[in-house]
Amino acid sequence: MNGCREFRQTIIRFFSGDLAENEEKLLNKHIRECGRCKKEFLFHKEMAFMLKNRPLSEAPESVIEKVLSLIPEKKLVYAKPYFNWRIILSISCVAVAWGIAVITIYFPPPLSFINIFVNKLILMIIKYLSLVKNPYFLIGVVAYSIVFSLSSIFFFWKTQVREAAFSRI
Amino acid sequence: MLSEKELVEKLKSGDKRAFETLFIEYKDIVYTIVCRMIYNKNQIEDITSDILLKIYKNIRQFDERAKLSTWIYRVAYNHCVDYITKLKRNPLEAYKPLDAMFSLSSSSPNPEEASLKSEKDKVLYALVDSMPERYRMVINFYYLEETSYKDISEIMGIPIGTVKTYLFRAKVYLKKKMQEMGFYERM
Ligand SMILES: [Zn+2]
């Protein structure tokens, strides 16, 4: 009955869906010939059936209610990965603004320089606002960049707060 | 009905209704996983809620290329493993895996008399519940919604070969025990 011992193992593997086609054929043939292995086969068949049909335990509704009460009704806007393009863009804008401000403090450009490089339309607007000739022009640039910095820090902070609110739940 | 892809999109956008749908679909199965892993019966509801909350909090970590059910089972399994590990550190709360067997043998002292099919089921399920955690959960996951070897290996974080070995040994063990209890004549 040496062969039978091997077939006992094959039977278990059969019910784990783990047999090659030729193994399955051999097993089939053996079961038809051997009453004891057939019995074993039927035992495992029944066991597999019982395990497959083990009913799920029913969870009480309170399980869901408890969790749903913790989830905010409003859709959350999630912050994208830490370095998203908006953050990079606003940081570089601020850097450029500060750079211009600092450079113009130490190397005030002549008006003709501005004439060449600044768009005529902008120049017109600046002239209209009489800012170019105004000594407070630099102060304006600095003030503008401070506002820009604060607004980007605020934007950054807001996304972090959202993120934090999301992970705190 | 939403497709899984659409559902996942909604879940990732934080849609509360989508989470409700998901929870209704998975609550029994998560609850069952907890029941079959944790013996401390009065903790099961809380643990199930904690798992659902974890699913909500971590849904963005779910990779769409994977199966949602496998990911959920893994969250549930890992949460239970963490819970058991914590319990083991506290000897007063140490769990007793053989409880199920003890209560069973006292209610039906003579297995030969218990010829009802439902009794046989009960014995088998109690035997499964009395097995060591990893064997028990391999058997449970294998028969839970037809989970594949690959899925089980992902859920439990063990190699596929080990899953197969555990499943094989668990079945040998169950057969031996069922015979010892007189449900089958020795073959
Ligand atoms: Zn045989």
Side-chain angles (χ1 to χ4, degrees):
Chain A
M1 283 283 160
N2 235 353
C4 286
R5 186 172 284 181
E6 276 169 38
F7 277 113
R8 301 284 157 96
Q9 300 198 352
T10 318
I11 288 167
I12 295 180
R13 284 173 43 232
F14 173 81
F15 286 105
S16 304
D18 207 17
L19 281 197
E21 205 178 317
N22 60 326
E23 281 181 302
E24 217 174 299
K25 273 182 192 159
L26 280 175
L27 176 66
N28 241 319
K29 188 169 169 283
H30 182 77
I31 284 170
R32 264 182 270 132
E33 292 160 357
C34 175
R36 285 158 64 126
C37 284
K38 188 177 180 176
K39 249 185 178 172
E40 179 99 1
F41 183 87
L42 292 175
F43 167 81
H44 281 288
K45 189 179 174 183
E46 192 188 10
M47 190 165 79
F49 178 83
M50 288 193 288
L51 290 169
K52 202 181 278 181
N53 288 288
R54 183 172 184 180
L56 294 181
S57 314
E58 221 173 283
E61 288 299 322
S62 59
V63 164
I64 296 189
E65 283 158 15
K66 190 181 158 194
V67 182
L68 286 177
S69 70
L70 294 168
I71 297 179
E73 196 66 49
K74 228 180 115 196
K75 265 193 192 181
L76 285 165
V77 181
Y78 309 125
K80 288 274 191 302
Y82 207 73
F83 286 105
N84 68 21
W85 65 270
R86 273 181 290 191
I87 290 166
I88 291 171
L89 190 71
S90 49
I91 287 172
S92 33
C93 282
V94 171
V96 168
W98 277 100
I100 290 172
V102 169
I103 287 166
T104 47
I105 286 169
Y106 292 103
F107 308 101
L111 264 183
S112 59
F113 183 83
I114 296 173
N115 264 326
I116 295 162
F117 288 103
V118 178
N119 184 298
K120 272 189 178 172
L121 184 68
I122 295 175
L123 195 68
M124 268 171 62
I125 294 168
I126 293 170
K127 269 184 177 169
Y128 176 73
L129 296 170
S130 68
L131 282 171
V132 172
K133 285 169 190 166
N134 193 323
Y136 293 110
F137 176 57
L138 281 179
I139 295 168
V141 171
V142 171
Y144 162 77
S145 62
I146 287 172
V147 170
F148 201 158
S149 317
L150 289 178
S151 64
S152 19
I153 287 166
F154 177 73
F155 170 78
F156 191 71
W157 173 77
K158 214 173 154 192
T159 51
Q160 295 311 95
V161 166
R162 278 176 181 166
E163 179 89 2
F166 185 74
S167 56
R168 200 175 44 238
I169 299 159
Chain B
M1 270 304 275
L2 288 172
S3 72
E4 186 169 306
K5 195 170 165 268
E6 289 167 326
L7 179 67
V8 169
E9 249 170 49
K10 288 194 168 201
L11 292 170
K12 288 199 172 182
S13 75
D15 187 334
K16 189 174 178 177
R17 295 300 130 230
F19 278 103
E20 198 173 351
T21 310
L22 181 84
F23 292 163
I24 290 170
E25 195 181 329
Y26 281 95
K27 77 175 166 73
D28 287 346
I29 215 152
V30 170
Y31 189 75
T32 303
I33 292 172
V34 179
C35 283
R36 294 184 190 174
M37 274 199 80
I38 310 279
Y39 292 102
N40 192 349
K41 294 299 168 209
N42 49 6
Q43 290 292 309
I44 287 175
E45 282 188 40
D46 285 346
I47 294 171
T48 307
S49 294
D50 290 346
I51 291 168
L52 296 182
L53 204 55
K54 218 174 209 176
I55 290 168
Y56 168 74
K57 273 160 66 173
N58 295 320
I59 191 70
R60 280 178 300 156
Q61 288 170 20
F62 168 65
D63 181 348
E64 282 91 341
R65 287 166 295 179
K67 244 165 87 184
L68 184 60
S69 59
T70 306
W71 182 77
I72 289 175
Y73 300 168
R74 197 174 70 212
V75 173
Y77 177 77
N78 286 338
H79 189 87
C80 292
V81 168
D82 290 347
Y83 176 83
I84 292 168
T85 314
K86 256 185 235 158
L87 270 196
K88 277 182 184 162
R89 272 189 231 123
N90 181 356
L92 281 177
E93 300 247 358
Y95 73 114
K96 308 169 192 77
L98 291 173
D99 271 3
M101 279 311 294
F102 290 144
S103 63
L104 181 96
S105 52
S106 60
S107 69
S108 55
N110 188 354
E112 267 126 336
E113 273 178 21
S115 55
L116 286 168
K117 197 195 155 290
S118 66
E119 199 66 26
K120 201 194 269 179
D121 288 2
K122 272 186 206 160
V123 171
L124 180 66
Y125 301 154
L127 281 170
V128 170
D129 292 343
S130 72
M131 282 194 286
E133 181 208 300
R134 292 213 152 179
Y135 292 91
R136 180 171 84 238
M137 291 321 287
V138 165
I139 274 268
N140 276 321
F141 281 125
Y142 186 78
Y143 287 105
L144 205 69
E145 312 263 297
E146 301 273 332
T147 319
S148 70
Y149 287 137
K150 192 176 157 285
D151 294 338
I152 300 173
S153 121
E154 272 172 33
I155 293 165
M156 299 180 61
I158 52 178
I160 292 180
T162 312
V163 173
K164 287 184 184 180
T165 309
Y166 282 171
L167 190 63
F168 184 87
R169 286 190 196 153
K171 286 184 174 182
V172 171
Y173 169 87
L174 289 174
K175 190 197 116 188
K176 190 170 154 261
K177 287 285 168 190
M178 288 294 270
Q179 279 179 338
E180 278 173 16
M181 296 185 81
F183 280 97
Y184 295 93
E185 58 186 281
R186 278 173 202 279
M187 286 173 269

